[in-house]
Amino acid sequence: MAELIVLLGPPGAGKGTQAKVLSQKLGLAHISSGDLFRDHLQRKTELGTLAQGYMQRGELVPDDVTIRMIRERMREEDCRKGAILDGFPRTLPQAEALDKFLADSKLGIVRKAPYIKVDPQVLVNRLSGRWSCRAGGHVYHEKFNPPKSAGICDLDGSELYQREDDKAETVANRIRVYFEQTAPLIEYYRRKNVLAEIDGARPIEDVTRDLLASVG
Ligand code: AP5
């Protein structure tokens, strides 16, 4: 049975950064709900058009469409060994839907839910200096994790861009929405005995080391 790792943490905690490394080291698929929505947006699909307004305002896309999109993604071949879920679930109904889907489909279990803890004032600095790559979603920071050449991804040479929803006012709303709707998942996974608290306010490599130890 496949094993799933659910990465929890506020916007800017480092979920995407760490998920990329963990996925490579553990040989698990990386499923980022945000990246999936951004891909739909770029391709101008119906789902992308629906998600656009919510994302621009820093609100959550409705549960039903989000759950459907993730269920489809989890049925893909590369998830057979397991996956790292980055940004999903983000509400209690999404967490319950994931559990029901796993039980019904027998596709796997949630083995660990590492919660990357970072204070809100640190998050704002991280998001305002973030640069993401167009091709592979690799993430950089102009001060904390700069690319070798400004504006170009070290790994695939594609262009780096700043996300629309990293504007100060949208970031403030994303953080508020996180505390209202996503933070309750910490207790949800604690009660299931799979939560691991990780101090995310340290260098990227130190956070990776603790994450690997927590899921090992
Ligand atoms: P999404 O793309 O998931 O955004 P998020 O959760 O807000 O997370 P981020 O990508 O902003 O942060 P991260 O934790 O991945 O940090 P990162 O590694 O990039 O969602 C976007 C939108 O899509 C949502 O607002 C919503 O509208 C919609 N959506 C997505 N999922 C949904 C769902 N399930 N339900 C409904 N709607 C959904 O790091 C941030 C920066 O910090 C980078 O520059 C990085 O280089 C730097 N950094 C990382 N770690 C460190 C470190 N240890 N020290 C210093 N700098 C660091």
Side-chain angles (χ1 to χ4, degrees):
M1 189 183 261
E3 297 199 324
L4 298 174
I5 295 168
V6 170
L7 281 187
L8 298 170
K15 302 180 297 297
T17 301
Q18 298 295 340
K20 287 249 177 295
V21 183
L22 295 187
S23 141
Q24 222 177 14
K25 289 201 186 281
L26 302 173
L28 303 176
H30 171 200
I31 302 181
S32 157
S33 44
D35 284 350
L36 289 174
F37 283 130
R38 280 184 286 278
D39 178 55
H40 277 277
L41 219 94
Q42 217 175 357
R43 290 188 288 120
K44 298 188 169 44
T45 66
E46 205 177 314
L47 176 55
T49 310
L50 175 104
Q52 188 168 27
Y54 294 98
M55 293 175 83
Q56 276 172 353
R57 293 189 295 273
E59 292 167 8
L60 296 184
V61 179
D63 284 338
D64 55 341
V65 285
T66 305
I67 291 164
R68 211 174 319 129
M69 174 180 79
I70 295 291
R71 277 201 301 237
E72 276 170 28
R73 176 67 186 88
M74 283 177 62
R75 288 191 188 282
E76 286 177 28
E77 188 59 29
D78 65 330
C79 299
R80 269 167 60 137
K81 187 177 165 209
I84 296 166
L85 296 183
D86 157 16
F88 180 92
R90 227 168 168 111
T91 62
L92 281 171
Q94 289 183 15
E96 287 161 0
L98 173 65
D99 284 344
K100 183 167 180 338
F101 171 66
L102 293 175
D104 292 349
S105 65
K106 303 196 169 34
L107 272 180
I109 52 161
V110 174
R111 177 153 62 97
K112 211 76 192 179
Y115 161 40
I116 308 177
K117 271 173 94 165
V118 179
D119 286 340
Q121 63 272 26
V122 176
L123 302 173
V124 176
N125 284 337
R126 287 203 186 165
L127 295 175
S128 62
R130 167 163 62 185
W131 289 82
S132 310
C133 115
R134 291 232 184 257
H138 304 109
V139 183
Y140 298 86
H141 190 281
E142 55 197 29
K143 276 202 214 114
F144 310 134
N145 182 25
K148 291 192 183 87
S149 313
I152 296 170
C153 178
D154 293 352
L155 297 168
D156 56 33
S158 78
E159 180 201 8
L160 300 180
Y161 74 101
Q162 289 197 287
R163 272 170 46 179
E164 275 270 328
D165 61 346
D166 281 348
K167 288 193 207 112
E169 64 275 19
T170 315
V171 164
N173 200 35
R174 284 163 58 201
I175 294 174
R176 190 181 57 74
V177 166
Y178 166 81
F179 281 105
E180 278 176 17
Q181 301 192 48
T182 308
L185 295 186
I186 295 163
E187 275 316 305
Y188 181 87
Y189 285 110
R190 199 195 305 280
R191 280 201 302 274
K192 291 181 177 288
N193 283 324
V194 292
L195 191 83
E197 290 196 28
I198 308 286
D199 176 3
R202 291 170 307 140
I204 292 173
E205 298 72 24
D206 294 5
V207 178
T208 306
R209 200 191 46 236
D210 283 8
L211 279 168
L212 283 170
S214 80
V215 301

